[in-house]
Amino acid sequence: MEASGLSDPTNVEKILSADKFSGISYQGSVCIVDPIRFPKVVSTARMCKKQVAVSSLVLINKCDMASPCQ
């Protein structure tokens, strides 16, 4: 599960445990991070820190476009 954009991912597992989603097996969440924009987003977007904290996997995308000091 990837909580797109700046959504709050903390209730995804609870929502998917409802009877109407019995065919879905929640395996965790993925947070996709843009290393160039992350410093600004994490300081301005409330949900960004929460997404990283509850994610099962944090995927750093666009690494080829970032310098080592970013």
Side-chain angles (χ1 to χ4, degrees):
M1 177 66 63
E2 192 271 326
S4 295
L6 297 174
S7 62
D8 183 349
T10 56
N11 288 323
V12 172
E13 186 172 10
K14 182 180 177 182
I15 291 166
L16 292 177
S17 68
D19 288 340
K20 65 181 177 180
F21 298 114
S22 62
I24 297 174
S25 174
Y26 181 78
Q27 300 294 311
S29 65
V30 175
C31 181
I32 301 173
V33 172
D34 179 334
I36 296 169
R37 293 187 174 95
F38 185 75
K40 182 176 182 178
V41 174
V42 77
S43 67
T44 59
R46 229 174 23 133
M47 288 302 144
C48 187
K49 289 179 186 174
K50 209 177 254 192
Q51 283 186 351
V52 171
V54 302
S55 291
S56 305
L57 172 71
V58 176
L59 176 67
I60 302 173
N61 193 20
K62 303 178 186 177
C63 289
D64 59 323
M65 299 173 75
S67 68
C69 63
Q70 286 181 313

